[in-house]
Amino acid sequence: MKKITIKDVARNAGVSIAAVSYVLNGKESKVSQDTIVRIHESIRHLNYIPSITARGLVKNTSELIGVIIPQTEDHKQLVFENPFYSEMISAIEGVVREYGYHIILAGVDKGKTYLDISTSRNLDGAIIMGIYSEQLYDECKQANIPIVLIDSYVNDNSFANVGIDDELGGYLATKHLIENGHRNIGLVTGMIRKEGVVEKRFLGYKRALQENGLFYNPDYVFENSVSYVHGRSSGALIADKFPEITAVFAVADMVAFGVIRGIKESGKDVPHDISVIGFDDISMAHMFLPPLTTVKQQIFLKGETAARMLIEQIQEKNGVSVKSARSLIPLEIVDRETVRKLMN
């Protein structure tokens, strides 16, 4: 079947190609009302779908926003395995669609450049999750497009930033276990990298122990990847240490699910033998059996906030003066059924 073009629309409506272009690109004041009606009737009759690329050339915009997730671990499928990312992306997409934009989702392997994505796709803006300070984030400036960072501890005023206090989150999780009578608390975590989200949660864990006069034991720290697989293998190791370890803080809900599976496969029970607290409060947390006690960060709000900050920057670049700032999303403990209070 022949592809319908703007020429076909113009011919069918009996108007010029320029007139059709004006209507498609929001410049209807340049043509008569009768011409506008005829063009819209022709579009409906021919089932014409305007090319986003062609419209972008006219408007000097691609109407595309990149959502870029650096792969900071060797577990390359992590993004698609963890519902945290799908919930975040859903929130971002819902906001940008309100403003007529579409998203391109891209994972960037370690050592690769962000510039390749932004320039090859002619992005109008980008949201980048979890960039580390030691990475060459200066290349983001070279892209010369509005950028918002999520979950980043890059201290650079060039970028708007949306995040949470991850150190506080780790502290709250560990303190919750301590308040329930636990003293020997394990930590299951991804790679602890300087100035990263995981390191901040690790530091919160250590602070809670110290404030309560508890000894930090590096043998209780199980470090690998933020994944269900690592959680499961760690859960089995922790079960072997029972009753030495009576509680676990997992730095993400998906890790916590794996920990619980590993503990149960080793013949121990959650929470009767070993208590577990997660981090994120993804949608699966309340559906899991037993329902997961976790640190709630408002994932959807975080995604929406980042998207609106990026739209504001794009509008400012296009002549609409709007000021963006760093945004910190609040945290809270959601107490469900995976933490048991020990009797003194």
Side-chain angles (χ1 to χ4, degrees):
M1 182 181 291
K2 178 187 173 185
K3 182 179 179 180
I4 303 299
T5 68
I6 190 172
K7 291 182 180 179
D8 297 319
V9 174
R11 188 182 303 112
N12 182 266
V15 300
S16 68
I17 294 174
V20 177
S21 180
Y22 288 144
V23 171
L24 291 176
N25 292 288
K27 299 178 181 178
E28 295 182 344
S29 61
K30 292 181 176 289
V31 295
S32 68
Q33 188 62 39
D34 178 64
T35 297
I36 294 171
V37 171
R38 285 158 58 193
I39 289 171
H40 282 299
E41 287 179 349
S42 179
I43 289 172
R44 284 193 295 271
H45 176 72
L46 298 175
N47 195 28
Y48 171 68
I49 301 175
S51 166
I52 292 176
T53 302
R55 290 175 63 186
L57 289 173
V58 174
K59 296 180 177 180
N60 193 29
T61 173
S62 66
E63 297 181 352
L64 294 175
I65 286 174
V67 178
I68 301 170
I69 307 176
Q71 300 295 288
T72 57
E73 302 185 43
D74 293 328
H75 197 58
K76 293 184 182 294
Q77 287 74 40
L78 181 63
V79 171
F80 303 102
E81 289 180 354
N82 195 338
F84 170 85
Y85 290 105
S86 61
E87 292 179 30
M88 181 82 72
I89 293 163
S90 175
I92 293 169
E93 194 278 334
V95 171
V96 302
R97 184 161 29 90
E98 290 178 21
Y99 293 88
Y101 290 90
H102 306 272
I103 68 168
I104 289 180
L105 175 63
V108 179
D109 291 337
K110 287 190 284 188
K112 300 297 183 180
T113 175
Y114 306 110
L115 282 174
D116 291 343
I117 297 173
S118 61
T119 55
S120 64
R121 297 291 186 173
N122 190 31
L123 300 177
D124 289 336
I127 295 173
I128 304 178
M129 299 188 195
I131 188 173
Y132 288 85
S133 59
E134 70 265 22
Q135 291 179 280
L136 298 177
Y137 61 88
D138 282 343
E139 68 185 30
C140 296
K141 299 178 188 177
Q142 298 173 34
N144 195 31
I145 60 173
I147 289 175
V148 173
L149 305 180
I150 295 180
D151 292 337
S152 170
Y153 287 91
V154 171
N155 295 313
D156 191 317
N157 293 330
S158 302
F159 305 115
N161 206 325
V162 181
I164 58 174
D165 187 337
D166 287 284
E167 195 273 346
L168 174 62
Y171 173 82
L172 292 174
T174 310
K175 183 182 177 185
H176 183 72
L177 295 174
I178 293 170
E179 289 174 343
N180 278 276
H182 298 277
R183 295 295 178 264
N184 296 330
I185 299 170
L187 174 70
V188 183
T189 176
M191 296 301 294
I192 300 172
R193 300 180 58 183
K194 184 174 175 58
E195 294 301 319
V197 165
V198 167
E199 185 202 41
K200 300 297 184 184
R201 296 178 190 179
F202 167 64
L203 293 175
Y205 162 80
K206 290 181 71 175
R207 176 162 71 94
L209 295 177
Q210 183 179 20
E211 283 190 5
N212 289 275
L214 302 178
F215 175 67
Y216 165 67
N217 188 339
D219 291 339
Y220 290 177
V221 177
F222 301 82
E223 178 186 1
N224 190 284
S225 65
V226 183
S227 67
Y228 177 87
V229 172
H230 171 51
R232 186 176 179 183
S233 61
S234 298
L237 295 173
I238 289 166
D240 287 342
K241 286 181 176 288
F242 178 80
E244 183 180 349
I245 294 178
T246 64
V248 181
F249 165 38
V251 298
D253 288 348
M254 283 299 292
V255 177
F257 297 156
V259 168
I260 293 171
R261 175 74 180 271
I263 290 171
K264 288 188 172 184
E265 287 177 335
S266 299
K268 299 296 186 293
D269 182 68
V270 175
H272 180 76
D273 296 318
I274 302 173
S275 293
V276 177
I277 188 169
F279 199 114
D280 289 333
D281 197 31
I282 60 177
S283 58
M284 293 171 58
H286 74 279
M287 295 183 274
F288 192 77
L289 290 176
L292 183 66
T293 296
T294 188
V295 178
K296 179 183 180 68
Q297 60 164 312
Q298 301 179 64
I299 302 170
F300 212 83
L301 176 59
K302 184 187 283 187
E304 285 187 330
T305 301
R308 295 195 187 282
M309 289 172 74
L310 183 64
I311 293 297
E312 288 175 358
Q313 287 192 40
I314 292 172
Q315 290 176 337
E316 187 172 40
K317 187 177 180 180
N318 293 337
V320 180
S321 181
V322 185
K323 191 166 186 175
S324 295
R326 179 176 176 84
S327 180
L328 205 62
I329 307 298
L331 298 170
E332 63 178 301
I333 296 288
V334 179
D335 193 5
R336 295 192 177 104
E337 298 178 23
T338 57
V339 173
R340 182 173 78 94
K341 188 174 184 66
L342 295 184
M343 304 302 294
N344 294 327

